[in-house]
Amino acid sequence: MAETAAQASTPKVTHKPLKLAFMSSLIGMGGTLLVSPLQHPFDVIKVNWQTNPFMKHELAVGKMIMQTKGFKGLYSGYLTNCTKQIFKSSYRYPLISGLPRFYSNLLGANYEKNKYLMKLMTSFTVTFVEAGLITPFERLQVFIMTSQSNKQNYSEFYKTIKSNWRQELFKGYTPFFTKQIVAWTSLLMSDTFYKNQVRKVFKIPEDQPITGMKLFLCTVLVTATTILVAMPFDNIKTFLQKNSTEMRPDGNVKKELGKIRIKDAVKRIYARGGVTGFFVGWRLKMCTYFITSSLAVTLIEWLDTLNKQAYENKK
């Protein structure tokens, strides 16, 4: 009885929202640093396949990269991509885990009753932050990944942007912004929806986190949903940001001249592969995104529980 009373009188360990944000930032950056070497080759193959959709499959694209650049070609743009991913992880996990309850507290709204609205506001906030900060990294990364050489890529990129650096650095901003709106909204909404369904089916209380195979099931469903709705915008963005020198179906290398607009990219992607042309590389995207989504879904679930305790403790 004394032991039970002592346990009952022991206060719950809670964390302040800022501390949780700092924790999620560190965990996100650490996880990103670990998985980047594994993810990057898949990303390189995906991007090159999107710009060379006449290739039959992933292995053919990988072979083409190896022939033109060697094994190092699979890690083209790695430094830029790794820097971009770590930078993104430093703010995205604190935002997606903390903003929903922050907005709920700010507006005086009941979080459980307005969960989808809070997640929608969060997705728009993250997109506005991300589009402005990340588009230049995306532009440089895709430019290097789609280059036909391993040499002087940075100097070539500088020559490309120096005459009109603002327009060139933010080339692909509109499809990237649209893609991020779609991706973040679908991720956060589907994450909330599927977790709600899993809680109902398996009778998991709201104050208990989803774990194990149930959380794995949520990750698979969230990944598939997000890829399905965001992939066309990813292909358009890649087409606009690619290196102007590309491999043609006859094996020759051709330099793209003139400005490519969004509608031109859409027409040419459709002409090359029809509707399926907008989903080129989906299997590779599924592999890379599943790793990112696993970290995001797990962190959201864990941090949402802690954020709930933190805001309840503030009251």
Side-chain angles (χ1 to χ4, degrees):
M1 292 291 291
E3 185 179 347
T4 305
Q7 289 177 350
S9 62
T10 303
K12 288 184 178 180
V13 177
T14 56
H15 301 280
K16 293 182 179 180
L18 284 178
K19 185 178 179 181
L20 288 174
F22 182 70
M23 285 168 55
S24 61
S25 180
L26 287 181
I27 294 171
M29 288 190 290
T32 299
L33 191 61
L34 287 174
V35 302
S36 285
L38 177 64
Q39 280 184 307
H40 191 77
F42 289 99
D43 214 17
V44 172
I45 295 172
K46 174 187 71 74
V47 167
N48 277 274
W49 197 6
Q50 288 175 338
T51 55
N52 299 281
F54 57 86
M55 307 295 285
K56 292 182 179 180
H57 46 69
E58 295 90 340
L59 291 177
V61 181
K63 185 178 179 181
M64 179 197 74
I65 295 170
M66 294 284 283
Q67 287 175 342
T68 55
K69 300 182 183 180
F71 180 76
K72 289 182 178 179
L74 293 175
Y75 284 88
S76 296
Y78 176 73
L79 180 61
T80 304
N81 189 29
C82 188
T83 303
K84 179 195 76 175
Q85 295 296 347
I86 292 174
F87 179 50
K88 285 166 69 174
S89 297
S90 69
Y91 64 79
R92 61 165 35 171
Y93 292 111
L95 290 180
I96 63 176
S97 62
L99 277 181
R101 290 191 183 277
F102 169 78
Y103 281 139
S104 175
N105 192 56
L106 182 68
L107 299 174
N110 184 293
Y111 176 74
E112 297 302 329
K113 292 181 179 179
N114 299 277
K115 192 179 294 185
Y116 287 100
L117 177 59
M118 299 304 112
K119 293 293 178 79
L120 181 63
M121 291 173 65
T122 298
S123 69
F124 273 78
T125 303
V126 175
T127 299
F128 276 108
V129 171
E130 199 154 81
L133 295 176
I134 300 302
T135 300
F137 287 97
E138 285 275 342
R139 169 70 167 123
L140 174 59
Q141 174 192 328
V142 173
F143 184 91
I144 294 174
M145 283 181 174
T146 55
S147 171
Q148 298 301 309
S149 171
N150 274 331
K151 299 177 180 179
Q152 299 181 330
N153 285 323
Y154 289 99
S155 60
E156 184 184 351
F157 182 73
Y158 174 72
K159 290 177 184 177
T160 302
I161 69 168
K162 68 177 182 180
S163 60
N164 193 354
W165 65 269
R166 184 177 298 176
Q167 181 177 335
E168 287 294 333
L169 273 181
F170 286 90
K171 182 178 282 187
Y173 175 86
T174 300
F176 179 70
F177 179 85
T178 308
K179 172 206 158 193
Q180 293 304 95
I181 281 283
V182 172
W184 278 117
T185 300
S186 61
L187 185 146
L188 293 177
M189 293 296 190
S190 60
D191 176 80
T192 303
F193 174 77
Y194 291 128
K195 284 177 179 176
N196 281 344
Q197 299 310 307
V198 166
R199 287 186 186 279
K200 288 179 182 178
V201 172
F202 296 100
K203 295 180 173 57
I204 303 172
E206 285 290 337
D207 60 345
Q208 292 182 15
I210 301 170
T211 58
M213 290 303 296
K214 299 178 185 69
L215 188 61
F216 176 79
L217 175 63
C218 291
T219 302
V220 172
L221 293 171
V222 169
T223 300
T225 302
T226 306
I227 293 297
L228 178 66
V229 298
M231 199 70 201
F233 301 101
D234 188 56
N235 271 277
I236 296 169
K237 174 194 71 69
T238 299
F239 195 93
L240 290 169
Q241 294 179 330
K242 67 185 177 66
N243 193 297
S244 57
T245 303
E246 65 174 19
M247 188 76 74
R248 309 303 292 174
D250 57 8
N252 294 320
V253 174
K254 182 179 179 180
K255 191 172 183 66
E256 192 79 55
L257 299 175
K259 181 181 177 181
I260 303 175
R261 295 169 296 180
I262 294 175
K263 67 177 183 179
D264 299 324
V266 172
K267 287 179 181 178
R268 290 172 66 173
I269 292 171
Y270 183 78
R272 286 179 171 186
V275 174
T276 57
F278 293 95
F279 293 89
V280 168
W282 71 268
R283 289 187 294 268
L284 292 163
K285 185 68 174 178
M286 185 75 78
C287 291
T288 57
Y289 197 80
F290 180 76
I291 298 172
T292 305
S293 186
S294 297
L295 181 61
V297 171
T298 304
L299 269 179
I300 289 171
E301 182 63 15
W302 177 60
L303 289 167
D304 188 57
T305 303
L306 296 179
N307 271 298
K308 182 179 181 181
Q309 294 175 1
Y311 279 102
E312 284 178 351
N313 193 52
K314 283 177 69 176
K315 294 176 183 178

